Amino acid sequence: ADAVQGTYGLEALRAKLSAVDLHFVPRHPAVWARPGRCYWNVRDCVAESGGRIRFGWLVVEIAALTLLAWHHAVWQQADGQLLDITPHMQTGWGQGTTRFLEDPKQNYDLSWPPAKIQQFEPLIRDARLNAFIEAYQAQFALQRAYLEKQRGVAGIEFDDVNMRLHAEDPISGVLLQDLERTWQPKIQAADALRGILLDGLVACQNERLQQAA
């Protein structure tokens, strides 16, 4: 669910991220926008309608467990008003209000995925939550390292329309396949561990919700 104003932990999360400001941004997903493509959705909107892109973190509350911040982008319209045009895996296509912590950095290179790690602000103390966060961080570190290795291959471009990497020649394609064989088993193993720990996290959440009922 969206984190509401006054949500416990929101100011601590803001401090952790060194966020410039907290905005409550109207969310009206554009019919053409795609989930997981917020940066490029907004970039394309700016090219079509003017304004500028604003980077920050979308904050949601995982009930009884933690605040969770995804790095995100919203559209600053020509009149200065902010609008969230991207559907999100947590908030879907519904309209509402996005809690948006503004990033002090506003100059990301979108020719390559920024790969910003999700940030947690736990609302409880529980070993199961801690274990899940640690597993997520380990998996993300592997994914980011893999992405950087791919970026180092000459002849590799990021296709931001289809959200995939493209090899411009056979040699770069072979190098990309070699990296995949090296890194994907590690990432899959880390993801499997995270999946196992997720079951414990769901149990923890159910316990907390029952206690609060």
Side-chain angles (χ1 to χ4, degrees), residues 30-110:
V31 294
W32 50 265
R34 288 190 290 167
R37 195 177 177 270
C38 61
Y39 307 121
W40 301 278
N41 288 338
V42 177
R43 181 205 61 188
D44 295 346
C45 187
V46 169
E48 178 71 24
S49 304
R52 61 178 296 191
I53 188 170
R54 302 298 294 177
F55 296 98
W57 288 268
L58 178 154
V59 182
V60 297
E61 181 177 357
I62 308 302
L65 293 177
T66 185
L67 297 184
L68 183 55
W70 273 271
H71 202 252
H72 193 53
V74 300
W75 178 35
Q76 183 174 340
Q77 301 168 83
D79 62 2
Q81 296 297 308
L82 299 177
L83 186 66
D84 189 359
I85 63 169
T86 300
H88 190 264
M89 62 179 294
Q90 284 289 328
T91 56
W93 286 90
Q95 298 183 5
T97 301
T98 294
R99 275 55 183 173
F100 184 74
L101 290 168
E102 186 177 348
D103 191 340
K105 180 179 178 181
Q106 290 291 327
N107 60 339
Y108 288 94
D109 175 12
L110 297 183

Side-chain angles (χ1 to χ4, degrees), residues 36-37 39-40 43 109-114 147 150-151 155-168:
R37 195 177 177 270
Y39 307 121
W40 301 278
R43 181 205 61 188
D109 175 12
L110 297 183
S111 67
W112 195 259
L147 194 61
Q150 292 171 314
R151 190 172 193 175
I156 299 298
E157 288 191 353
F158 172 59
D159 175 3
D160 63 60
V161 174
N162 297 299
M163 302 299 289
R164 63 181 181 85
L165 299 181
H166 173 70
E168 294 187 312

